[in-house]
Amino acid sequence: MSKTESMVRVSLAYVVALGVATAWLLWGPDTEWLWLDALVADVLATVVVFVASRIHHNSSFYDAYWSVLPPYLAVFWVVASDAAGDGLRTALVLAVVWLWAVRLTANWVIGFPGLHHEDWRYPMLREQAGRLELVVDFLAIHLIPTFQVFLGTVPVYVAVALPGRDAGWLDAVALVVGVGAVLLELIADGQMRRFVAERQPGQAMDRGLWGWSRHPNYFGEISFWVSLALFGIAASPGDWWWLVLGAVAMVALFLGASIPMMEKRSLERRPSYQDVIDRVPMLVPRPPRRRAAS
């Protein structure tokens, strides 16, 4: 299947998914809480994407949903709440969320070869599950990530849909962190694409930002979710203790699953990657250690 046909199929699945979500929000039972209405709609959309994944035998159908969901939720909360939050903060939050979403979705489009390709982690998880592969496919690959992204987006709800403090210095910090995160990811992904196009067999990436962090793209992603948490805290400082939960969950995801899996695979495919591990910090960028003298 060509990339164009694959993109059309994925796009149609997302149109149907978001159409189902919107229909629920417009005509479904009202829970009296906008955050819960959005969560139910989100789960329904995830089920649609999951069905499309099963029909096409490819769980990578879900991949772009990660970046499609937050802007959809943000706009819904602004509209449904009649923009109850501070106007300036709302504009800043929407700008950061949409900037992040457009960049991440564009990066997926650029790197997506077509539905003949599936993220290598998904078949591995299904094979390990054995007879429970259907359950693991739905829960681990689709539903749990949906809950994680939703949890990370909850501060947006607090920032744009609820009355809160006027915009101030913490919003400015959140803006700088959010825009900086997007720029960091943009540069890191561009450097990786150029490296992949030019690399020699077995060569490990340690150029540019990747020479200061083994996973600068993940650091940028975590920073984005921290930015959303900061916007929520700026609106409601007393709720800081639970507004950070989404960002903490993202840190746990990358440190506990994504990074270990990527590092193990890199070592298996490129033994020279051990030298990168020895010299370059895992996540937070800093100057690399010098190579040991031979």
Side-chain angles (χ1 to χ4, degrees), residues 35 45 57 68 71-72 81 85 89 124-125 129-130 151 155 165 177 199 208 229 233 244 258 267 270 283:
W35 68 266
H57 308 287
V68 168
Y72 176 85
S81 67
R89 178 179 296 116
M124 181 183 69
L125 289 172
L151 183 61
R165 288 190 174 186
V177 172
R199 69 182 172 188
I233 295 170
V244 301
S258 298
L267 281 171
R270 291 176 290 276
L283 187 63

Side-chain angles (χ1 to χ4, degrees), residues 88-154:
L88 175 58
R89 178 179 296 116
T90 295
L92 295 179
V93 171
L94 289 179
V96 170
V97 169
W98 278 90
L99 183 65
W100 168 84
V102 169
R103 190 220 67 84
L104 188 55
T105 305
N107 186 65
W108 174 80
V109 171
I110 292 170
F112 179 58
L115 286 173
H116 59 277
H117 167 81
E118 184 179 26
D119 188 297
W120 59 273
R121 291 167 289 194
Y122 302 156
M124 181 183 69
L125 289 172
R126 292 195 299 266
E127 290 170 7
Q128 291 174 348
R131 294 181 180 179
L132 296 176
E133 67 90 15
L134 177 66
V135 176
V136 169
D137 192 6
F138 178 60
L139 293 180
I141 300 176
H142 292 79
L143 191 59
I144 291 177
T146 286
F147 283 135
Q148 283 188 296
V149 172
F150 186 87
L151 183 61
T153 313
V154 166

